């Protein structure tokens, strides 16, 4: 039963992010568009795997960012320089992952779209 409870809590976290985090909604929209285009372009199994791992990386980074921001808002509701650093670093991690995903997208889609 503990395993089921763990899955229930994990799903609650995912649902929270999808329903309440605008950036998560943007990432998911981009992911669905990329998956649809990959299907249309008949990606190989390896290309599909790389795309899925890249999407998972962005989604995971966004979820960690949400978790970090939520905890900081709870423990430091007032503006504090260290709280700002933590939030900025978490947001920066998402940005690094998103830029990397864009690069992966250029590599995966670029040549196929130019044909």
């Amino acid at each position: 039963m503990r395993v089921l409870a763990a899955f229930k809590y994990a799903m609650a976290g995912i649902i929270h992010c999808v329903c309440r985090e605008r950036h998560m909604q943007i990432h998911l929209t981009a992911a669905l568009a990329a998956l649809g285009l990959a299907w249309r372009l008949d990606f190989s199994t390896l290309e599909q795997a790389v795309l899925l791992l890249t999407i998972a990386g962005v989604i995971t980074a966004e979820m960690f960012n949400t978790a970090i921001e939520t905890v900081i808002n709870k423990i430091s509701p007032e503006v504090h320089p260290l709280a700002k650093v933590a939030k900025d670093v978490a947001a920066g991690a998402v940005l690094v992952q998103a830029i990397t995903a864009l690069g992966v997208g250029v590599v995966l889609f670029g040549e196929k779209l130019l044909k």
Side-chain angles (χ1 to χ4, degrees):
M1 196 60 171
R2 289 183 186 177
V3 172
L4 291 178
F7 278 112
K8 177 183 171 188
Y9 298 139
M11 285 304 301
I14 293 168
I15 290 167
H16 171 86
C17 285
V18 170
C19 292
R20 296 190 179 148
E21 297 297 324
R22 186 173 64 88
H23 288 118
M24 178 64 86
Q25 295 165 359
I26 293 167
H27 294 311
L28 287 174
T29 300
L32 289 173
L35 289 169
L37 186 56
W39 177 77
R40 179 86 168 117
L41 295 174
D42 198 29
F43 271 26
S44 70
T45 302
L46 180 59
E47 290 168 326
Q48 291 175 41
V50 169
L51 182 60
L52 287 171
L53 287 170
T54 302
I55 290 168
V58 173
I59 300 303
T60 301
E62 187 62 49
M63 292 178 74
F64 278 129
N65 182 48
T66 298
I68 289 167
E69 286 186 350
T70 301
V71 169
I72 289 170
N73 289 342
K74 173 67 175 167
I75 63 174
S76 182
E78 69 284 346
V79 177
H80 189 282
L82 293 177
K84 181 183 181 330
V85 169
K87 286 182 168 187
D88 290 350
V89 170
V94 176
L95 181 59
V96 167
Q97 188 66 42
I99 290 169
T100 301
L102 184 60
V104 169
V106 168
V107 170
L108 290 177
F109 291 100
E111 186 178 328
K112 290 180 185 259
L113 288 174
L114 290 176
K115 288 183 180 179

